[in-house]
Amino acid sequence: MPGPSSGEGVVPISDAVTERTAEPAEPRTAVPVLSAAGLSVRFAGRRGAPPARAVDGVHLDVGAGEIVALVGESGCGKTTLARTLLGLERPSAGTVSYAGRPLSYRSRALRAYRREVQLVLQDPAGSLNPRHTVYEAVAEGLRIHGGAADERERVADALARAGLRPPERFFLRYPHELSGGQRQRVVIAGALVLEPKVIVADEPVASLDASVRGEILALLLRLRDELGLSALVVTHDLGLAWNIADRVAVMYLGRIVETGPVEKILVAPEHPYTQALLSVLPEARAGIPVVLSGEPPDPSRVPPGCRFHVRCPILASGAAEEAGVAERCQTEDPAILAGSGEAQAACHYAAARARA
C-alpha cells in the first residue's frame, strides 16, 4: 500500500487517487481480530436529563493486518468508541470481541487483553511522565504486566522498531530532551514492547509538524507490514485516512454513517456528511466547499429519522424531496450499518439513487 516515506508529508488526495484506486483489495480474514457488535455507550444525564447516547449501535470490524480509520468531527463519539474497544468503558449494550471471543471484564482477563490491544495517545508530551527516562517509560508496561527477564533487550528492540536508533543512546534521556516526533516514537515503543496484535491510535499525529507526521505514518505502515499489526486510527483528518488506512468508518452523532474501502469512500462518498467533510479539504478536487449549518445535535436528544437530517444539505436543497425520500429522512432511522468491509452508507437519498 502506498504511504508517505520517511521525512515526507501527507500525500494530497488528488495526487494519490490514481495510484490508490489501481490497487486490488486485499483479502480479509473470516474472523476479525477486533470487533464491535451492536455497541452502545450511554452516560447518565444530569438532574434527570435523558442519557447521552455517545455510541449508539455501532458495528465495526478490524481484520488481521488491517488499518481502519475512524473519522468524524469532534464530539461524534470516536474516542468513546475507542475507549470501549480497549475495555476502558463498559458498553451499555452490545459486545466487544477479540479474535472471535467476547471480551470479559474480569480484572485478570482485561489484563491479558491489554497486552494484546495497546493504546497510542494523541499528545506524547502529556502521556509521558517528565520524571521518567525513555527506558523507564518503555519498560513500564513490561513491569505492570509482570516484568521480563530480558527487559533491556525488549526495550531496546521496541525503541529500534519505533525508529530510535541506536536505542541505547535514548535510554537515559528525558521527554523534554526529545523532539515531538521522537516523543511520539517513544509512546509507540511503549506499546510495541508488549508485542500487541492491535494498536488503537487516538489522533496519533495531530500535534506534530507535517514532515514528522509523514514519518510517523510511514512507521505505522512499516509496523503493519513487518509485524502484521492491526490498527484502529481515530482521526478527524481525512487526508491522514487516505495515506494510511485500508478502510474508513465515518462516524456522526454516535453511529457509523458510512464505511468501506478507503479509495471508494474518499473518492466517491455517498453520504452527504462524508461529502461535506471532504469538500473542505485543501487538497480536495475543485468544487464549492459544503459548510454545514449549525452544530451537531445534543447526543441526549438525538433527532428522529436520520440523525443528520437537521444539517443535511441534500434535504435543504430539495433534492431529497425530488427523490421522494424527504419524509423518510425526517421520520425513519436508516438501518444500522454492518461492520463488514463492503461500502455502505446510512442514507435514504443514497439508497434511492442506487435503486434508480
Side-chain angles (χ1 to χ4, degrees), residues 8-326:
E8 295 181 349
V10 176
V11 178
I13 290 178
S14 57
D15 294 344
V17 168
T18 303
E19 188 176 2
R20 289 297 301 260
T21 53
E23 291 184 355
E26 296 183 2
R28 302 177 63 220
T29 56
V31 178
V33 65
L34 182 65
S35 65
L39 204 65
S40 294
V41 180
R42 301 192 177 194
F43 297 114
R46 294 182 178 180
R47 300 177 182 177
R53 293 151 62 178
V55 178
D56 192 22
V58 166
H59 297 276
L60 182 66
D61 294 339
V62 180
E66 181 182 44
I67 298 177
V68 177
L70 182 63
V71 179
E73 59 191 327
S74 297
C76 70
K78 306 187 303 294
T79 297
T80 301
L81 175 57
R83 287 175 57 84
T84 307
L85 291 172
L86 286 161
L88 299 174
E89 296 284 352
R90 294 285 292 268
S92 306
T95 58
V96 175
S97 297
Y98 175 70
R101 296 182 178 180
L103 178 61
S104 170
Y105 292 91
R106 296 177 180 176
S107 59
R108 182 176 294 181
L110 278 178
R111 189 184 185 93
Y113 174 69
R114 287 171 184 158
R115 289 186 66 103
E116 303 289 318
V117 183
Q118 280 285 300
L119 172 65
V120 173
L121 291 169
Q122 172 180 356
D123 179 14
S127 58
L128 293 172
N129 188 327
R131 297 183 178 182
H132 286 181
T133 63
V134 167
Y135 182 92
E136 292 169 329
V138 176
E140 184 178 15
L142 284 175
R143 295 169 182 175
I144 289 173
H145 288 274
D150 56 346
E151 179 183 282
R152 183 181 176 87
E153 289 76 11
R154 291 182 66 174
V155 170
D157 181 66
L159 286 170
R161 287 189 180 278
L164 295 174
R165 301 185 181 92
E168 292 79 9
R169 186 163 63 92
F170 295 90
F171 278 1
L172 299 182
R173 291 193 184 183
Y174 288 88
H176 72 272
E177 299 177 295
L178 306 175
S179 68
Q182 288 173 332
R183 286 195 292 264
Q184 188 64 287
R185 290 175 186 274
V186 172
V187 173
I188 293 172
L192 294 178
V193 75
L194 291 171
E195 301 177 352
K197 300 294 189 297
V198 184
I199 285 179
V200 177
D202 190 358
E203 299 282 6
V205 296
S207 61
L208 303 177
D209 294 338
S211 60
V212 182
R213 283 160 54 97
E215 294 176 4
I216 298 300
L217 295 180
L219 170 62
L220 293 175
L221 288 169
R222 180 168 58 79
L223 292 173
R224 187 272 303 273
D225 295 338
E226 292 179 358
L227 305 179
L229 276 176
S230 302
L232 176 69
V233 179
V234 178
T235 182
H236 67 278
D237 185 350
L238 286 165
L240 182 151
W242 178 266
N243 280 275
I244 198 172
D246 301 300
R247 283 192 302 123
V248 175
V250 182
M251 197 168 186
Y252 181 78
L253 201 59
R255 188 171 291 177
I256 304 295
V257 296
E258 187 163 14
T259 184
V262 63
E263 58 272 12
K264 168 64 175 68
I265 301 304
L266 299 190
V267 173
E270 295 186 358
H271 199 285
Y273 177 61
T274 312
Q275 294 169 1
L277 293 180
L278 282 168
S279 74
V280 297
L281 288 179
E283 59 267 25
R285 293 175 176 179
I288 301 174
V290 179
V291 180
L292 299 177
S293 61
E295 297 291 330
D298 186 339
S300 65
R301 295 178 174 84
V302 176
C306 171
R307 57 194 58 211
F308 184 62
H309 85 262
V310 295
R311 304 173 72 198
C312 182
I314 299 296
L315 186 62
S317 69
E321 182 72 38
E322 293 178 5
V325 296

